[in-house]
Amino acid sequence: MTQITTTDVAIIGAGPAGMLLSHLLAAQGVESVVIEARSEAYVASRIRAGVLEHSTVDLLRSVGLADRLEAEGEEHRGIHLQWPGERHHIDFVDLTGRSVWVYGQTELQKDLIAARAAAGQRIHYEASDVTPHDPRTASPSVTFTDSDGRAHRVRARAVAGCDGSFGPSRAAIPAEVVNTWERVHPYSWLGVLADVAPSTDELIYAWHPDGFAMHSMRSATVSRLYLQVPNGTSVDEWSDDRIWEALADRLGHGQDGWTLTPGPITDKGVLPMRSHVRTPMRDGRLFLAGDAAHIVPPTGAKGLNLAVADVGLLAPALVDLVRRGDERLADAYSDTALRRVWRCTHFSWWMTTMLHTGEDPFDARLQLSQLRWVTTSEAGATGLAENYAGLPIGF
């Protein structure tokens, strides 16, 4: 027998987008049920983004989710841009009055889980065969099987697909109404976590003839570092010693007295670099948010922030839809969200192509010229700062 549940909004996906959406809806008296294919432990431990835009932090503050962020996160004024022999600081606060925060997605996820647990949020983890139904009616639903093998149907007035690029939500939109734009870059990132204090005060983005490198951090005792590698690279090809040697070379160990301190590597992974935008972000009463609709390369630190911006727009649209029967914000949601999606997609592409090296020496000269312009022109630096620190959610 199928267990029937009725709610205002069925949310597919319990990552940051889905959990934040449930929190925003609850603050306006709108009920939701969250359905997640993975376990709670898996969702909570995924190592993803670590830089939060000014607008993201403002939204989290406004709904009471920033206490631990402000106590344990790190506010950064800007970033360093580097190439051999030169390093320049881009100060976002001086240029735009907006900062960014370093706070890992795993930490934000903990905050969201704690907040929703305290509120009694209904969440079904380890759900299988999750399927949205009847999105073009006023009564859509989601069916799934729980971890004990029981069949469920959640009847709702709207469905939010926050289940990533491989979830069922995007597949539920008919192919004949979907447009897809994609760019696959000819390189990947080898990312590592290391139990060592960061060797830098703020993120370093480094252009180098051997390939891009980045020094980021997750806390005062954990560093996050990246190396550009060819597509198809296996982590088995990179020993810890080889990783630290490449990082030291590309990040400029010894340059102007700066040193890179190595430490125990606790995690390695290879991340392909691609841009993907899928439109529209709505079909009837099925709404997509986050990676279900778009993916950007991580160079511009936009993935998590775009997901937050999506649900920041989607929440009031769903409140109006289910509480007042007002469809105006819901009708505008896809177009409004996509303006920011495409702006961030362009910025991510711009940062990626400026910093990642290839085989063409002509391209390398263009990249260095662009880096010199960005670091010496107030207009160039301001453009980078405005985009990196983040435009207003509904710009």
Side-chain angles (χ1 to χ4, degrees):
M1 177 179 290
T2 300
Q3 182 174 329
I4 306 296
T5 303
T6 300
T7 191
D8 292 323
V9 179
I11 300 173
I12 305 175
M19 295 293 272
L20 179 57
L21 179 59
S22 70
H23 189 88
L24 296 175
L25 292 175
Q28 299 298 316
V30 173
E31 294 182 348
S32 64
V33 173
V34 180
I35 304 153
E36 168 59 51
R38 303 284 192 168
S39 68
E40 180 178 343
Y42 177 90
V43 175
S45 64
R46 283 183 292 197
I47 299 170
R48 298 277 180 91
V51 177
L52 302 183
E53 291 180 2
H54 193 92
S55 297
T56 295
V57 175
D58 279 350
L59 177 60
L60 296 173
R61 284 173 174 151
S62 72
V63 293
L65 290 172
D67 289 351
R68 199 164 70 89
L69 184 160
E70 293 182 317
E72 301 179 19
E74 296 184 12
E75 185 175 14
H76 284 193
R77 293 182 62 93
I79 60 171
H80 299 282
L81 287 180
Q82 176 183 305
W83 58 96
E86 297 198 39
R87 180 181 293 171
H88 299 266
H89 185 246
I90 307 295
D91 193 305
F92 303 158
V93 177
D94 283 350
L95 293 163
T96 68
R98 296 163 72 83
S99 62
V100 296
W101 285 74
V102 173
Y103 192 66
Q105 178 173 317
T106 52
E107 301 308 310
L108 177 58
Q109 185 70 18
K110 290 176 187 176
D111 298 340
L112 290 164
I113 289 172
R116 300 318 303 141
Q121 175 69 48
R122 289 178 289 176
I123 306 174
H124 295 273
Y125 288 104
E126 299 181 76
S128 59
D129 301 320
V130 181
T131 308
H133 300 274
D134 305 317
R136 295 184 179 181
T137 72
S139 302
S141 64
V142 178
T143 57
F144 65 95
T145 302
D146 68 21
S147 58
D148 293 320
R150 294 172 296 199
H152 291 256
R153 180 179 294 271
V154 178
R155 291 175 175 163
R157 300 187 64 188
V159 176
C162 305
D163 48 338
S165 56
F166 299 106
S169 298
R170 61 160 30 174
I173 298 180
E176 61 267 21
V177 303
V178 170
N179 292 302
T180 302
W181 291 267
E182 188 167 47
R183 171 68 54 83
V184 178
H185 294 283
Y187 34 71
S188 300
W189 276 10
L190 171 64
V192 302
L193 274 178
D195 280 343
V196 61
S199 301
T200 178
D201 57 339
E202 295 182 333
L203 278 68
I204 301 172
Y205 286 77
W207 183 98
H208 191 275
D210 293 341
F212 168 77
M214 180 178 174
H215 191 326
S216 182
M217 62 282 290
R218 284 295 177 267
S219 71
T221 59
V222 177
S223 295
R224 181 72 161 150
L225 305 109
Y226 300 96
L227 289 165
Q228 176 186 341
V229 294
N231 286 343
T233 294
S234 168
V235 294
D236 295 335
E237 301 170 31
W238 286 81
S239 67
D240 291 5
D241 286 344
R242 184 186 178 191
I243 289 170
W244 285 115
E245 288 171 6
L247 286 167
D249 189 32
R250 298 186 197 182
L251 289 169
H253 176 80
Q255 179 177 312
D256 296 327
W258 180 81
T259 59
L260 174 68
T261 303
I265 291 175
T266 60
D267 183 82
K268 300 179 187 178
V270 175
L271 176 67
M273 305 284 283
R274 68 186 180 111
S275 300
H276 181 102
V277 180
R278 185 183 179 92
T279 67
M281 292 173 62
R282 176 198 183 187
D283 184 54
R285 294 202 173 193
L286 170 62
F287 301 83
L288 303 183
D291 286 0
H294 44 74
I295 297 169
V296 292
T299 324
K302 291 293 162 233
L304 173 59
N305 292 292
L306 268 178
V308 170
D310 286 350
V311 300
L313 293 170
L314 182 56
L318 293 177
V319 170
D320 279 0
L321 179 66
V322 305
R323 280 286 174 260
R324 306 177 185 94
D326 185 342
E327 298 189 17
R328 287 175 294 179
L329 288 179
D331 289 341
Y333 166 69
S334 182
D335 289 341
T336 304
L338 283 167
R339 285 200 300 270
R340 199 176 202 277
V341 167
W342 278 114
R343 172 86 299 275
C344 292
T345 299
H346 177 269
F347 176 67
S348 299
W349 167 86
W350 181 78
M351 286 282 286
T352 300
T353 56
M354 178 172 67
L355 289 160
H356 290 73
T357 54
E359 297 180 358
D360 190 336
F362 185 82
D363 287 345
R365 295 299 100 190
L366 294 178
Q367 290 173 317
L368 290 170
S369 176
Q370 183 166 252
L371 282 164
R372 292 189 184 98
W373 171 71
V374 169
T375 55
T376 58
S377 161
E378 184 174 346
T382 300
L384 188 154
E386 182 181 59
N387 283 274
Y388 197 106
L391 298 163
I393 284 177
F395 91 104

